[in-house]
Amino acid sequence: MSTTLSRVHAAYDRVEAVDRPEIWIDLRPREEVEREAEAIDERLARGEQLPLAGRLFAAKGNIDVAGLPTTAGCPSYAYRPEADAPVVAGLRAAGAIVLGTTNLDQFATGLVGTRSPHGAVRNAYDPARISGGSSSGSAVAVALGIVDFALGTDTAGSGRVPAAFNGIVGLKPTRGLVPTAGVVPACASIDCVTVFARTLPEAEQALSHMATGTPPPLPGRRPGPWRIAVPPREQLGELDEGWADAYEVAVEQLRTAGASIRALDLTPFTEAAAMLYEGAFVAERYTAVGAFIDKATAQGDPTLDPTVAAIITRARDLPAHQLYADMDRLAALRAKALTELSDADALLLPTAPGHPTLAEVAADPLGANARLGRFTNSTNLFDLAAVAVPSGEVDGLPFGVMLIGPAHTDARLAGIAARLQPETRLAVVGAHLTGQPLNPQLLALGARLDRTTTTAPVYRLHALDTTPPKPGLVHVGEGGAEIEVEVWRLPAEGLGRLLTALPRPMTLGCVELADGTRTPGFLCEPGALANAEDITSHGSWRNFLGHSPSRGLQGRGELRDQPPHARTRPRTRHPTDE
């Protein structure tokens, strides 16, 4: 089976396994996507250069995907685009395959992920908590290992808050760097299309195929360490228990990496953040979809989210003089903010002040949402760039921070963020290979394939009697052979999680590769080989499965070590659907 096609099969199997229908608005028919995967592999065989070949992605439901309706989370608003949005088209031209459109806070109005007639999108780690919005479905599809990356949008923080809550990366580019044509606007003047991925390099690679703008050259920076601005603790306000300590750990991590830390007054940032919804700027949301909401409200449309409708309709009667007054105030705050940043390369902040439960948001939908935007709302108003990255855990849930800098410092911010993302490598030979039953475990940890190679000729491979079937790699020295392996890159923290859940007889050891380098990898306890078939002559687990079809079909059911969810099938859109 081709590499791209096997990844498509694994993705649809993963959709079934996680049972999260609320992630999706529309999934493309599996057969249609399989045909596209086969065409991608044929193009590769002809020698075409497709840098994203085999990569799977999802698009937020307010972004046009040809063949699927664009709903912005409101079924009665739906229209059928004639073409992909430029961001989608750029990714597909590079060989990536879109699986479908994802759920969102209706009309991209919210940071909670609960304001949708398709249901609240539950957090990838704790289904009792929110996923964050408005790009909720896209973030969870990445966090659960269904897709490699996903598109979101960010007006008030929707490309960053869901990243923090689901332990993934969110890139919010400089305004104008990525086109917003083919995107249902929230506030058109400040909207940005964003990308989620499990690792920073994956997100950067995807973004490079979405961007059409050319960043202007930045002024040369003085030699020396990165300069990171950090506000005093009291200006962060109330944070969830343990979050202040987690933030300080991130600050110290950058300091240890050689960064210079200096103080910054956060006041202009938080004052501007409050203006996004409390001031006249919310009127731009009415400009985008207000007439539709007025008509739908008059007709009693049951698919309108009442919170979203109330926010947008309240903006209808804002006086023009208030907008001009707010624009003057914003300009003054922006000048103060940029002065505060001055010679700093980035501002480091918690991405959000806390992570509420679904019940807490239901009890206070406006208050909970407003709190979540404390650190993110001002970014686009000030025309800044940002990147959100995981930074450890608090009580078993992801904690995230973000780096914010002036426009067109996107690459610089990513370079600094990389200091918060230590990586390691892992060599796999069996059930964790691409397309195999346990590969989603790697994907869910933020792993990405680095290369396919072989071991040094000092190993033997055995077929173990396990479910799902897996091989055992054992170092023997003389009498060994080269065995095909995949080398994956993943966050060091992810490797720790994998190790704690590793069942016997599997062990983690040092694997010697054909080029003489060594890397952590899966090995097997010798005691498990007593009745195991020696399959070394096949050279790889895949070759052995090709000669043993019955083994290849085992273990394709429900994956182990996944959180239980109610068994409901996701909706798949077929060509005959209207």
Side-chain angles (χ1 to χ4, degrees):
M1 182 184 299
S2 72
T3 300
T4 305
L5 188 57
S6 67
R7 299 201 74 185
V8 168
H9 287 176
Y12 278 92
D13 289 347
R14 184 71 175 149
V15 168
E16 293 286 343
V18 301
D19 284 321
R20 291 294 195 98
E22 78 268 18
I23 292 174
W24 305 95
I25 295 177
D26 286 292
L27 268 175
R28 294 175 64 198
R30 181 170 182 156
E31 297 77 9
E32 178 183 300
V33 177
E34 289 173 348
R35 288 194 297 272
E36 187 173 336
E38 291 170 343
I40 291 291
D41 283 316
E42 290 172 2
R43 292 170 63 188
L44 289 172
R46 293 195 298 266
E48 288 192 46
Q49 297 299 310
L50 300 172
L52 295 181
R55 309 300 293 281
L56 308 178
F57 74 102
K60 186 175 179 178
N62 62 340
I63 301 173
D64 288 350
V65 175
L68 298 178
T70 303
T71 72
C74 183
S76 57
Y77 179 82
Y79 65 88
R80 286 191 171 271
E82 296 182 357
D84 291 327
V87 288
V88 174
L91 294 167
R92 297 179 86 168
I97 296 175
V98 59
L99 290 191
T101 56
T102 55
N103 200 1
L104 67 152
D105 280 328
Q106 194 171 79
F107 296 116
T109 301
L111 288 172
V112 288
T114 64
R115 300 171 176 177
S116 170
H118 301 287
V121 181
R122 297 167 291 163
N123 181 258
Y125 284 73
D126 180 359
R129 292 183 184 267
I130 66 168
S131 58
S134 58
S135 309
S136 49
S138 287
V140 176
V142 170
L144 291 178
I146 299 172
V147 293
D148 297 296
F149 61 90
L151 304 184
T153 61
D154 188 312
T155 304
S158 299
R160 291 166 283 161
V161 171
F165 289 170
N166 293 282
I168 59 176
V169 172
L171 292 185
K172 190 222 76 68
T174 298
R175 280 168 25 195
L177 186 63
V178 173
T180 56
V183 179
V184 177
C187 293
S189 66
I190 59 173
D191 292 341
C192 294
V193 177
T194 64
V195 61
F196 297 108
R198 287 180 291 275
T199 66
L200 192 56
E202 283 180 302
E204 289 183 283
Q205 184 186 31
L207 186 65
S208 70
H209 295 279
M210 297 160 54
T212 57
T214 302
L218 293 173
R221 67 184 300 279
R222 295 194 308 275
W226 296 118
R227 295 179 289 273
I228 308 300
V230 172
R233 170 63 185 87
E234 61 271 14
Q235 288 192 352
L236 293 176
E238 182 182 355
L239 304 180
D240 277 7
E241 186 175 355
W243 281 41
D245 291 340
Y247 173 62
E248 289 301 325
V249 169
V251 173
E252 289 306 310
Q253 191 172 346
L254 286 178
R255 194 193 307 272
T256 301
S260 171
I261 308 298
R262 72 161 177 80
L264 168 142
D265 180 7
L266 196 62
T267 304
F269 295 87
T270 52
E271 288 186 2
M275 294 177 67
L276 187 61
Y277 279 99
E278 295 174 10
F281 299 117
V282 72
E284 192 168 15
R285 293 183 183 269
Y286 186 84
T287 301
V289 294
F292 168 82
I293 288 179
D294 285 345
K295 182 179 179 180
T297 300
Q299 295 174 343
D301 186 345
T303 68
L304 277 184
D305 181 88
T307 301
V308 171
I311 290 169
I312 294 176
T313 54
R314 276 201 305 269
R316 176 180 51 210
D317 300 322
L318 285 168
H321 67 79
Q322 183 178 343
L323 175 60
Y324 280 99
D326 285 352
M327 290 172 63
D328 287 344
R329 185 182 176 213
L330 179 65
L333 289 173
R334 182 174 185 271
K336 289 181 180 178
L338 293 180
T339 298
E340 284 296 323
L341 279 174
S342 60
D343 67 342
D345 293 299
L347 164 62
L348 178 70
L349 290 171
T351 307
H355 189 174
T357 64
L358 292 166
E360 288 168 343
V361 170
D364 183 15
L366 294 178
N369 192 93
R371 181 181 183 233
L372 293 179
R374 182 190 305 164
F375 305 129
T376 58
N377 281 1
S378 62
T379 307
N380 285 323
L381 287 173
F382 285 165
D383 191 17
L384 304 175
V387 54
V389 293
S391 186
E393 293 184 348
V394 176
D395 294 332
L397 292 174
F399 172 78
V401 296
M402 63 180 174
L403 289 153
I404 300 172
H408 305 296
T409 60
D410 306 75
R412 180 184 299 174
L413 295 176
I416 300 170
R419 307 304 198 272
L420 295 166
Q421 298 284 284
E423 281 193 326
T424 188
R425 289 177 173 82
L426 178 69
V428 301
V429 298
H432 286 86
L433 293 167
T434 300
Q436 293 299 306
L438 298 185
N439 183 252
Q441 290 183 349
L442 287 182
L443 297 177
L445 293 171
R448 70 187 191 281
L449 182 62
D450 183 73
R451 59 194 168 114
T452 300
T453 183
T454 63
T455 67
V458 292
Y459 294 91
R460 297 199 70 82
L461 194 67
H462 299 258
L464 305 178
D465 184 17
T466 60
T467 302
K470 61 175 72 77
L473 184 70
V474 179
H475 183 277
V476 296
E478 292 186 11
E482 293 184 350
I483 304 297
E484 183 185 70
V485 298
E486 287 183 351
V487 179
W488 288 72
R489 301 170 74 96
L490 73 162
E493 180 184 357
L495 182 61
R497 291 186 199 171
L498 197 63
L499 180 59
T500 59
L502 195 63
R504 296 185 67 183
M506 309 311 298
T507 64
L508 193 67
C510 186
V511 175
E512 183 180 354
L513 302 179
D515 62 3
T517 61
R518 297 174 180 271
T519 186
F522 288 132
L523 297 171
C524 179
E525 296 175 351
L529 307 180
N531 298 310
E533 179 184 358
D534 189 320
I535 60 172
T536 307
S537 61
H538 291 277
S540 74
W541 179 241
R542 285 198 183 95
N543 287 345
F544 170 70
L545 292 180
H547 288 82
S548 305
S550 61
R551 278 188 175 267
L553 292 175
Q554 294 180 46
R556 292 183 61 83
E558 185 173 350
L559 299 179
R560 293 183 174 185
D561 303 321
Q562 302 300 332
H565 304 301
R567 298 234 8 130
T568 54
R569 295 182 63 83
R571 178 185 177 196
T572 302
R573 175 160 292 275
H574 295 280
T576 56
D577 287 352
E578 294 298 332

PDB file of all heavy atoms in Angstrom, residues 48 185 285 455 518:
ATOM      1  N   GLU A  48       7.354  14.513  -9.397  1.00  0.00           N
ATOM      2  CA  GLU A  48       6.909  15.845  -8.965  1.00  0.00           C
ATOM      3  C   GLU A  48       7.394  16.126  -7.541  1.00  0.00           C
ATOM      4  O   GLU A  48       7.478  15.225  -6.696  1.00  0.00           O
ATOM      5  CB  GLU A  48       5.380  15.946  -9.017  1.00  0.00           C
ATOM      6  CG  GLU A  48       4.805  15.999 -10.412  1.00  0.00           C
ATOM      7  CD  GLU A  48       3.328  16.390 -10.390  1.00  0.00           C
ATOM      8  OE1 GLU A  48       2.990  17.352  -9.673  1.00  0.00           O
ATOM      9  OE2 GLU A  48       2.534  15.729 -11.072  1.00  0.00           O
ATOM     10  N   PRO A 185     -15.626  36.422   7.443  1.00  0.00           N
ATOM     11  CA  PRO A 185     -14.959  37.322   8.391  1.00  0.00           C
ATOM     12  C   PRO A 185     -15.651  37.358   9.744  1.00  0.00           C
ATOM     13  O   PRO A 185     -16.856  37.167   9.863  1.00  0.00           O
ATOM     14  CB  PRO A 185     -15.047  38.677   7.688  1.00  0.00           C
ATOM     15  CG  PRO A 185     -16.248  38.577   6.804  1.00  0.00           C
ATOM     16  CD  PRO A 185     -16.301  37.140   6.352  1.00  0.00           C
ATOM     17  N   ARG A 285     -18.114  43.035  13.634  1.00  0.00           N
ATOM     18  CA  ARG A 285     -18.756  41.722  13.556  1.00  0.00           C
ATOM     19  C   ARG A 285     -20.173  41.858  12.987  1.00  0.00           C
ATOM     20  O   ARG A 285     -20.638  40.988  12.246  1.00  0.00           O
ATOM     21  CB  ARG A 285     -18.790  41.049  14.934  1.00  0.00           C
ATOM     22  CG  ARG A 285     -17.415  40.669  15.450  1.00  0.00           C
ATOM     23  CD  ARG A 285     -17.491  39.928  16.782  1.00  0.00           C
ATOM     24  NE  ARG A 285     -16.162  39.628  17.292  1.00  0.00           N
ATOM     25  CZ  ARG A 285     -15.483  38.508  17.052  1.00  0.00           C
ATOM     26  NH1 ARG A 285     -16.036  37.558  16.308  1.00  0.00           N
ATOM     27  NH2 ARG A 285     -14.277  38.315  17.550  1.00  0.00           N
ATOM     28  N   THR A 455      18.753  -0.487  10.848  1.00  0.00           N
ATOM     29  CA  THR A 455      19.663  -0.627  11.974  1.00  0.00           C
ATOM     30  C   THR A 455      21.035  -1.069  11.471  1.00  0.00           C
ATOM     31  O   THR A 455      21.205  -1.456  10.308  1.00  0.00           O
ATOM     32  CB  THR A 455      19.154  -1.691  12.954  1.00  0.00           C
ATOM     33  OG1 THR A 455      19.215  -2.974  12.312  1.00  0.00           O
ATOM     34  CG2 THR A 455      17.731  -1.410  13.404  1.00  0.00           C
ATOM     35  N   ARG A 518      23.340   6.520  17.216  1.00  0.00           N
ATOM     36  CA  ARG A 518      22.495   5.793  18.163  1.00  0.00           C
ATOM     37  C   ARG A 518      21.319   6.678  18.557  1.00  0.00           C
ATOM     38  O   ARG A 518      21.454   7.895  18.688  1.00  0.00           O
ATOM     39  CB  ARG A 518      23.288   5.391  19.412  1.00  0.00           C
ATOM     40  CG  ARG A 518      24.427   4.423  19.123  1.00  0.00           C
ATOM     41  CD  ARG A 518      25.276   4.170  20.359  1.00  0.00           C
ATOM     42  NE  ARG A 518      26.368   3.257  20.091  1.00  0.00           N
ATOM     43  CZ  ARG A 518      26.291   1.930  20.209  1.00  0.00           C
ATOM     44  NH1 ARG A 518      25.163   1.384  20.636  1.00  0.00           N
ATOM     45  NH2 ARG A 518      27.333   1.161  19.936  1.00  0.00           N
TER      46      ARG A 518
END
